[in-house]
């Protein structure tokens, strides 16, 4: 299969690495310096090269802010039977866009990401394949992710965004709050350093991704839950009640079992 990957960032390079030995792969990237370490993969910097390549599958791995824009630039250079796909962690508006193109499409979310995961050991990581879209495209990604050892789940677009509203917004907003009150420590403890490492990783993400997670219509409910828990904690602190604290710790320990 001829596979074109859009973007030579961490995820684009990752897909080039894992696919290039079984498929004829090319990467389209406007900054040629980002492609200097790609192996066994063609490097494209112009749309004319895409015309000549005639890919069977396109994997859009650019940052969320530019995903649809880059699709719009590339689609006129694809044949009608080509399958287009994205790996974005937020899918707001994607289903409508895909259906407006008239192209075959598949949408997935490899949830291991490049920020924290060990890309060489993915057996504890997850991936989502959207159950809507092209059948052959879904089969391709289901097979790929399972061969990588990922735990694979199938969701609709709506189910995906509902799940992401919780699994992304809660840790991201908690990280925002930690970062907002953080002060420099000359001798930080282990727990503080771990939280700081997480905060730096989260805040290194693309601002568009952070904005889409925060502005997801489903996020507000989860942030309100965080606020309610903080209010309860403040009351326990004010009361200095060991009984209430014991009950609270029992509750939250059950949540993380």
């Amino acid at each position: 299969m001829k596979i074109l990957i859009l973007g030579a960032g961490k995820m684009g390079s990752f897909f080039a690495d894992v696919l290039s030995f079984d498929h004829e792969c090319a990467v389209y990237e406007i900054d040629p310096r980002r492609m200097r370490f790609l192996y066994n993969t063609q490097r494209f910097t112009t749309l004319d090269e895409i015309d000549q390549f005639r890919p069977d599958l396109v994997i859009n791995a650019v940052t969320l802010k530019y995903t649809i824009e880059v699709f719009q630039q590339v689609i006129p250079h694809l044949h009608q039977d080509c399958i287009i796909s994205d790996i974005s962690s937020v899918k707001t508006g994607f289903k409508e866009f895909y259906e407006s193109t008239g192209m075959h499409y598949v949408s997935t979310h490899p949830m291991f990401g490049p920020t924290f995961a060990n890309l060489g050991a993915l057996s504890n990581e997850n991936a989502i394949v959207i159950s809507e879209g092209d059948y052959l495209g879904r089969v391709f990604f289901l097979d790929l992710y399972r061969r990588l050892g990922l735990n694979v789940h199938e969701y609709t677009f709506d189910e995906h965004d509902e799940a992401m509203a919780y699994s992304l917004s809660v840790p991201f907003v908690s990280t925002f709050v930690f970062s907002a009150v953080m002060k420099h420590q000359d001798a930080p403890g282990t727990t503080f350093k771990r939280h700081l490492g997480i905060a730096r990783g989260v805040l290194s993400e693309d601002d568009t991704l952070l904005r889409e997670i925060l502005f997801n219509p489903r996020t507000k409910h989860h942030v309100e839950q965080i606020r309610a828990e903080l209010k309860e904690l403040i009351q326990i602190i004010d009361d200095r009640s060991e009984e209430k604290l014991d009950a609270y710790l029992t509750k939250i320990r059950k949540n993380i079992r």
Side-chain angles (χ1 to χ4, degrees):
M1 180 185 291
K2 286 187 172 184
I3 300 175
L4 174 66
I5 298 163
L6 306 179
K10 291 181 179 179
M11 289 305 293
S13 299
F14 170 78
F15 275 96
D17 283 344
V18 300
L19 293 170
S20 61
F21 288 96
D22 297 314
H23 303 276
E24 185 177 351
C25 290
V27 172
Y28 172 67
E29 169 63 62
I30 59 175
D31 182 358
R33 294 172 298 181
R34 304 187 74 188
M35 296 190 286
R36 62 188 182 276
F37 298 121
L38 292 177
Y39 180 75
N40 201 36
T41 301
Q42 297 183 60
R43 301 167 175 84
F44 297 162
T45 57
T46 68
L47 294 171
D48 290 342
E49 292 170 294
I50 296 175
D51 287 317
Q52 297 171 21
F53 186 61
R54 290 183 58 80
D56 303 302
L57 171 68
V58 173
I59 301 175
N60 194 333
V62 305
T63 58
L64 178 63
K65 180 179 180 180
Y66 300 108
T67 300
I68 290 179
E69 178 183 336
V70 171
F71 266 142
Q72 291 170 332
Q73 295 171 3
V74 169
I75 284 175
H77 299 269
L78 306 175
H79 62 81
Q80 194 61 36
D81 291 330
C82 179
I83 301 171
I84 57 176
S85 69
D86 74 276
I87 57 170
S88 299
S89 52
V90 178
K91 307 290 187 185
T92 305
F94 275 47
K95 181 179 181 181
E96 293 78 10
F97 169 75
Y98 278 132
E99 292 179 345
S100 73
T101 67
M103 302 284 292
H104 301 283
Y105 70 87
V106 59
S107 186
T108 77
H109 180 187
M111 296 182 67
F112 46 90
T115 302
F116 297 115
N118 177 358
L119 299 184
L122 298 173
S123 59
N124 292 322
E125 306 295 342
N126 299 298
I128 293 173
V129 174
I130 301 300
S131 57
E132 300 156 274
D134 184 83
Y135 172 75
L136 292 178
R138 297 201 312 274
V139 169
F140 175 86
F141 280 101
L142 287 168
D143 178 66
L144 171 63
Y145 291 151
R146 285 168 179 156
R147 282 193 291 111
L148 291 173
L150 292 161
N151 302 297
V152 186
H153 309 270
E154 292 190 74
Y155 292 167
T156 65
F157 278 105
D158 282 343
E159 288 169 342
H160 171 273
D161 280 357
E162 175 61 39
M164 291 309 101
Y166 174 75
S167 65
L168 292 179
S169 66
V170 171
F172 276 42
V173 169
S174 300
T175 299
F176 291 171
V177 173
F178 169 81
S179 302
V181 301
M182 196 194 73
K183 296 179 181 179
H184 173 73
Q185 301 291 310
D186 291 326
T190 301
T191 302
F192 182 91
K193 287 190 290 185
R194 288 179 177 174
H195 278 284
L196 181 58
I198 291 172
R200 286 174 173 159
V202 167
L203 293 173
S204 72
E205 296 282 5
D206 180 66
D207 284 359
T208 303
L209 172 62
L210 299 178
R211 182 168 57 249
E212 290 295 330
I213 291 169
L214 199 62
F215 292 169
N216 183 326
R218 302 171 176 89
T219 293
K220 181 182 176 183
H221 168 69
H222 300 299
V223 177
E224 287 173 340
Q225 286 185 309
I226 293 173
R227 182 172 62 183
E229 292 298 323
L230 288 172
K231 183 177 179 181
E232 183 176 352
L233 271 174
I234 290 170
Q235 189 62 56
I236 291 171
I237 293 168
D238 285 342
D239 295 343
R240 299 181 64 84
S241 169
E242 292 186 14
E243 181 181 353
K244 289 181 180 179
L245 178 59
D246 288 344
Y248 190 82
L249 293 174
T250 298
K251 179 184 76 170
I252 62 177
R253 282 175 176 140
K254 286 181 178 179
N255 285 348
I256 63 171
R257 283 177 184 170

